[in-house]
Amino acid sequence: MHHFQYKKSELYCEEIPVSEVVLEVGTPLYLYSHATLRQHFRAFDDAFAGVKHLTCFSMKSNSNLAILRLFILEGGGVDIVSGGELYRALKAGVEPGKIVFSGVGKQVEDLEYALKSDVLLFNVESTQEILRLNDVAGAMGKKARVAIRINPDVDPKTHPYVSTGLKENKFGIDISEAPEQYTAAAGMKNLKVCGVSCHIGSQLTQVSPFVDALGKLMQMIKKLEEAGIRIDYLDLGGGLGITYDKEDPPHPSEYAKAIKDELKMTDMTLILEPGRVIMGNAGILVTKVLYTKSIKDNLFFIVDAAMNDLIRPSLYDSYHGIQSVKKSGRGTVTADIVGPICESGDFFAKGREVESFEPGELLAIMSAGAYGFSMSSNYNSRPRACEVMVRKDRFYVIRARESYEDLIRGEVIPDFLIQE
Ligand code: LLP
């Protein structure tokens, strides 16, 4: 069931016309469908029924408190990568026992905060981090549960910026060095080594790289267990892709099917860190056409959202569908959809066939729920967009549009610059 659909010529989110939400809150606007989010979470989580598992939503894809809350109510945990994400997760009410802490550059304060909060697992990524975590835990009189993040050197066959499991990537510890790191960590007083983690990349559209990575990890785990190191948690990270354009990624159930058998025989708890597959197609960015113009043969639709709101096209050359919020029936044209920011990289689509828009009309940038708002910024001093969740025939503002005051919060002009 799709929850962004046309009824006659109007785009609806669940039971509300998108234009009706815009009348109340304006544009640019992130709009999420509650039913879609829940359906995606359940489809993913249910796919792993039959194996002991914990679905830890990767909150870097979208860290709005209301969205986290929704997944908490579904029994989910979260994957965090910073103290700030831990703060948000705890504010939303995530149980610390369902939080896994990943990331290559955890700071001492973050480690302390996570130890104090008693998170489930630290996914450590380097020898120095292992030593530091042992020190910090020792100073606090605590024992940290640790998984070593393994770089299995598997090609995820995705965009180079979001590929993380190749030996040239900065992530994890090389699988060939892992056994000695495990032995060293297992001998440290303030660590309880109990997990293996891995995340090979994002927007994967095939199952085989996951299966390859799992195969390598299982071999390693066997060796570790022979050496007396017991592994209770296997964290396979996130990475399952979605359809932005013509991609045909596996359904979560296919992904689960491909890896479940290996795991049924073991007593380990499987941890998964999905982000995009749950969020991506559950949200759209709604924007208004400000101007239309032609330069030579190029037609431009200048809209009020920009690369500060959704940076994926500029950063990765990513495809996002563009749809009319009200179909005008005017016929299509080929155009560039661009924002108001003073950079040529500020675009959402280039040379795209879309309906011919007039100023004041609305368009929806599709598949924007993941890595949309969470990667937004205030570049060009643009207040960040409003976020709204739709549930059936009602909508809820889950993050107010920023104000000009928000823009300067924390800034100070020193006395010597203030002249009488
Ligand atoms: N776990 C770890 C350790 C990760 O680094 C990531 C994503 C995930 C889980 C979630 O991956 P997902 O299921 O969403 O693929 N900004 C980029 C994506 C960067 C992904 C970074 N890591 C984009 O907009 O495409």
Side-chain angles (χ1 to χ4, degrees):
M1 169 79 186
H2 216 281
H3 297 283
F4 294 98
Q5 270 190 327
Y6 287 97
K7 288 192 189 154
K8 296 205 176 122
S9 55
E10 278 259 358
L11 182 64
Y12 274 65
C13 177
E14 301 196 15
E15 294 162 31
I16 303 186
V18 170
S19 60
E20 208 175 291
V21 185
V22 171
L23 272 184
E24 292 268 331
V25 302
T27 51
L29 154 72
Y30 272 99
L31 201 56
Y32 309 107
S33 150
H34 172 265
T36 310
L37 287 164
R38 205 173 53 179
Q39 177 184 315
H40 287 178
F41 185 92
R42 289 184 181 172
F44 191 92
D45 196 53
D46 292 352
F48 290 91
V51 286
K52 234 189 329 171
H53 73 280
L54 179 61
T55 301
C56 290
F57 171 63
S58 188
M59 60 182 283
K60 64 173 80 65
S61 65
N62 192 309
S63 54
N64 186 287
L65 296 183
I67 290 189
L68 300 181
R69 189 74 205 154
L70 195 169
F71 299 140
I72 294 169
L73 296 181
E74 293 294 315
V78 292
D79 148 48
I80 61 166
V81 289
S82 68
E85 285 194 348
L86 177 54
Y87 178 78
R88 280 181 173 278
L90 295 174
K91 278 276 172 204
V94 184
E95 287 167 43
K98 292 185 175 178
I99 299 179
V100 293
F101 193 177
S102 313
V104 286
K106 302 182 195 75
Q107 311 204 20
V108 167
E109 302 76 47
D110 297 343
L111 295 174
E112 284 170 352
Y113 184 19
L115 279 162
K116 197 175 81 189
S117 311
D118 203 20
V119 302
L120 176 66
L121 203 58
F122 290 84
N123 291 340
V124 295
E125 304 218 16
S126 65
T127 317
Q128 290 179 8
E129 187 191 340
I130 294 172
L131 292 168
R132 182 157 297 166
L133 179 58
N134 184 51
D135 286 349
V136 175
M140 293 173 74
K142 300 228 174 212
K143 213 163 171 133
R145 282 175 295 272
V146 167
I148 296 185
R149 177 162 171 185
I150 304 300
N151 183 329
D153 194 22
V154 166
D155 185 356
K157 304 189 183 89
T158 181
H159 190 288
Y161 282 15
V162 292
S163 130
T164 46
L166 281 167
K167 59 179 181 309
E168 61 263 35
N169 298 134
K170 68 179 174 186
F171 300 95
I173 286 179
D174 190 81
I175 190 157
S176 62
E177 289 170 26
E180 57 186 285
Q181 297 291 344
Y182 266 98
T183 311
M188 291 182 199
K189 236 176 77 201
N190 312 309
L191 303 183
K192 176 167 171 26
V193 179
C194 57
V196 168
S197 83
C198 146
H199 168 81
I200 55 176
S202 198
Q203 183 55 12
L204 271 72
T205 51
Q206 297 171 32
V207 161
S208 57
F210 289 116
V211 174
D212 292 351
L214 176 63
K216 289 188 173 191
L217 295 182
M218 291 303 277
Q219 271 183 10
M220 191 192 81
I221 290 170
K222 216 170 134 219
K223 283 194 196 133
L224 293 177
E225 300 210 322
E226 279 161 15
I229 298 170
R230 194 189 135 93
I231 299 300
D232 295 320
Y233 298 99
L234 173 58
D235 181 345
L236 283 185
L240 196 57
I242 61 166
T243 304
Y244 284 99
D245 185 13
K246 295 191 175 68
E247 305 90 334
D248 188 20
H251 186 270
S253 59
E254 282 173 63
Y255 169 46
K257 192 163 162 271
I259 60 174
K260 255 163 122 171
D261 281 348
E262 275 260 34
L263 295 163
K264 273 193 185 135
M265 322 296 286
T266 77
D267 196 33
M268 292 186 294
T269 298
L270 174 65
I271 296 176
L272 299 144
E273 303 174 353
R276 188 189 320 264
V277 67
I278 292 174
M279 277 311 307
N281 278 321
I284 62 175
L285 173 61
V286 186
T287 179
K288 187 171 75 189
V289 177
L290 297 173
Y291 302 106
T292 72
K293 73 172 180 181
S294 295
I295 300 179
K296 292 250 166 67
D297 291 338
N298 281 339
L299 174 61
F300 294 94
F301 290 125
I302 302 159
V303 300
D304 68 355
M307 65 193 282
N308 73 297
D309 299 301
L310 176 69
I311 203 173
R312 303 192 70 258
S314 317
L315 197 57
Y316 317 113
D317 209 18
S318 307
Y319 180 98
H320 284 265
I322 308 278
Q323 293 188 9
S324 310
V325 167
K326 272 186 199 176
K327 286 187 185 163
S328 65
R330 236 176 258 132
T332 61
V333 290
T334 300
D336 288 8
I337 318 296
V338 301
I341 283 183
C342 310
E343 299 217 21
S344 300
D346 181 24
F347 65 90
F348 295 113
K350 282 188 169 169
R352 184 77 63 81
E353 195 179 338
V354 289
E355 266 204 324
S356 179
F357 293 107
E358 295 285 337
E361 290 178 345
L362 300 171
L363 54 89
I365 303 172
M366 307 308 287
S367 316
Y371 307 106
F373 190 90
S374 67
M375 291 180 82
S376 67
S377 76
N378 290 123
Y379 186 39
N380 273 210
S381 282
R382 290 168 49 86
R384 273 182 296 180
C386 169
E387 290 180 288
V388 166
M389 186 186 285
V390 171
R391 182 167 174 268
K392 296 183 180 157
D393 60 354
R394 290 195 61 185
F395 71 87
Y396 304 82
V397 172
I398 57 171
R399 192 180 206 272
R401 184 177 304 289
E402 284 182 348
S403 65
Y404 288 156
E405 272 162 24
D406 292 330
L407 288 178
I408 58 166
R409 173 157 312 127
E411 291 181 33
V412 177
I413 302 177
D415 283 349
F416 75 91
L417 291 174
I418 298 173
Q419 270 155 22
E420 293 303 306

